[in-house]
Amino acid sequence: MHFMAAVLERVGAPLVVRQVTAEELKPSDVLVRNKASGLCHTDLEIIQGQLSWPLPVILGHEGAGIVEAVGQDVTLVRPGDHVVCSWNPTCGHCFYCDRGQPILCELHNLHNGQGALLDGRSRLALDGQRLNHFSAVSSHAECSIVHESSAVAVPKAIPFDRACLIGCGVMTGVGGASRMARIAAGASVAVIGCGAVGLNAVQGAMLERAEAVIAIDPDARRLEIARTFGATHTIDARANDLVAQVKELTAGRGADYVLECAGNEKALQTTFEVARPGAEIVILGKTNVNQMVSLRFGSMMGEKRMIRSSYGGARPRRDFPWLAQLYLDGRLKLDELITRRISLGEINDGFAAMTRGEAVRTVIVF
């Protein structure tokens, strides 16, 4: 079959909308007709060369659509299902899957960075040559071929442009608060960075009934948005007395939980500075994987516990329907995350706006 997709052919170049070819489905494959795809900062890292990936590639890993066809062994979804795609397919039986850590699935981590699905192969071609998958989804295209564990059925009532956001930014932020930090009711929470992940960490803390949710960001507009997502207090990240402000709001101790969502060295340092002794710290942001970072050692003392999480403790088949239902029940904000809706042909403009810091989430609508 053939469909249109935005292809990155070389680092630093604009994406080009091309007709690509997909081979016949393998037994565990699912063909998804994409209806919406969110532009994520990780896509931009590939475009800019901060994260290495085999090229050419179809980017996108925040997709939602309708199952059009399935391989002969697929049991988890069927044609007509509305699905959100997970960028973390799992084999279900490797060392890590057996130990309850599917985010570390050995087959996924072995083949994902090679631009392949779980079996180590691509299903895509461009001009007769291999075309690579990105994060096992490649949703900046009219169709995606994914492993069945990546196709997660959600209620048909949720609009696709809202549903797609669940597949990465929403899961990472809300999950960081509820699944990884496991915020206790009545606690104080600081969120460093109020982009898409940070805003969802804010509402995740609110959902867990935190008493004080302190949003920290240098952008006044994003701090204002954070209040609509449940932040009880906001602080300019550039303030010289930032740590003192957090302590003033937390009985002089610092925050019980701190979620870092900015992905830079200064934010990491701020995270440890505003955390009270004995605090739980969850690092959700990321920078260049080869960048060295340094921290003031004293800020890490005091029995603080830190964990780095890439997907907010996601169990997609458990969590995606849960998040979708929270939205349908009016308890989770998704509409407010969308800054702009674009066509596939406008994708380069969307990434340019992201580079300028103008968008929380831009969504391609097919």
Side-chain angles (χ1 to χ4, degrees):
M1 67 173 292
H2 305 282
F3 55 86
M4 304 304 291
V7 178
L8 178 68
E9 297 179 328
R10 67 181 189 277
V11 170
L15 280 74
V16 181
V17 178
R18 301 282 304 276
Q19 185 181 74
V20 304
T21 303
E23 60 183 50
E24 291 186 5
L25 299 184
K26 298 296 184 288
S28 296
D29 289 348
V30 174
L31 174 64
V32 179
R33 176 70 61 174
N34 290 319
K35 295 297 184 180
S37 180
L39 272 59
C40 179
H41 198 273
T42 306
D43 300 330
L44 187 61
E45 291 176 18
I46 304 296
I47 295 170
Q48 296 178 339
Q50 297 170 3
L51 185 61
S52 178
W53 206 267
L55 303 178
V57 63
I58 301 174
L59 297 176
H61 57 282
E62 211 176 61
I66 300 174
V67 175
E68 192 158 287
V70 300
Q72 64 185 28
D73 293 343
V74 172
T75 60
L76 297 176
V77 292
R78 59 187 179 181
D81 283 348
H82 290 199
V83 296
V84 172
C85 292
S86 166
W87 55 258
N88 184 213
T90 57
C91 70
H93 53 72
C94 70
F95 176 90
Y96 292 108
C97 286
D98 280 345
R99 284 157 179 78
Q101 295 178 298
I103 186 69
L104 302 176
C105 174
E106 289 180 315
L107 277 184
H108 173 60
N109 286 295
L110 174 63
H111 298 303
N112 181 47
Q114 299 171 356
L117 298 185
L118 281 185
D119 62 358
R121 297 179 57 191
S122 170
R123 308 292 191 266
L124 307 169
L126 177 66
D127 297 332
Q129 302 297 314
R130 174 187 166 116
L131 179 60
N132 293 291
H133 299 261
F134 179 62
S135 287
V137 176
S138 290
S139 57
H140 297 338
E142 292 176 332
C143 294
S144 292
I145 295 178
V146 301
H147 185 267
E148 70 166 325
S149 63
S150 281
V152 181
V154 295
K156 292 184 177 181
I158 184 170
F160 291 109
D161 59 347
R162 267 53 63 88
C164 72
L165 306 177
I166 291 172
C168 184
V170 175
M171 182 67 247
T172 302
V174 175
S178 63
R179 304 301 192 195
M180 300 305 297
R182 298 179 181 176
I183 292 168
S188 60
V189 181
V191 177
I192 316 297
C194 294
V197 171
L199 291 172
N200 282 293
V202 166
Q203 66 174 338
M206 179 270 295
L207 286 167
E208 296 300 320
R209 297 178 295 158
E211 182 173 336
V213 182
I214 306 163
I216 301 171
D217 195 280
D219 188 319
R221 180 180 57 88
R222 293 198 174 193
L223 290 177
E224 183 178 349
I225 297 171
R227 283 195 174 271
T228 71
F229 276 76
T232 58
H233 305 83
T234 58
I235 300 176
D236 188 332
R238 300 165 296 183
N240 292 329
D241 63 343
L242 186 159
V243 176
Q245 288 189 58
V246 173
K247 288 187 175 181
E248 184 178 353
L249 295 169
T250 55
R253 288 185 290 268
D256 299 320
Y257 301 86
V258 186
L259 292 96
E260 189 281 320
C261 307
N264 60 69
E265 188 175 69
K266 183 177 180 181
L268 281 171
Q269 185 62 71
T270 299
T271 296
F272 283 93
E273 298 287 355
V274 303
R276 69 161 172 81
E280 302 282 346
I281 294 170
V282 180
I283 308 297
L284 298 172
K286 58 187 174 67
T287 185
N288 188 309
V289 294
N290 294 314
Q291 180 179 335
M292 302 295 292
V293 296
S294 60
L295 298 169
R296 186 178 70 83
F297 185 79
S299 67
M300 296 187 286
M301 296 179 67
E303 306 303 307
K304 298 173 184 177
R305 291 186 287 184
M306 184 275 286
I307 188 168
R308 157 69 190 163
S309 176
S310 296
Y311 210 4
R315 298 294 182 91
R317 212 156 300 281
R318 171 197 68 185
D319 292 328
F320 288 7
W322 166 64
L323 291 166
Q325 193 60 51
L326 283 177
Y327 170 77
L328 293 173
D329 292 343
R331 298 177 58 202
L332 184 74
K333 294 182 183 297
L334 297 180
D335 305 60
E336 295 83 353
L337 291 168
I338 302 175
T339 308
R340 182 184 174 197
R341 294 170 177 85
I342 62 173
S343 67
L344 183 62
E346 298 173 293
I347 191 169
N348 290 305
D349 292 338
F351 281 117
M354 181 187 294
T355 303
R356 295 191 298 268
E358 296 173 358
V360 176
R361 263 299 186 266
T362 297
V363 177
I364 299 168
V365 177
F366 296 94

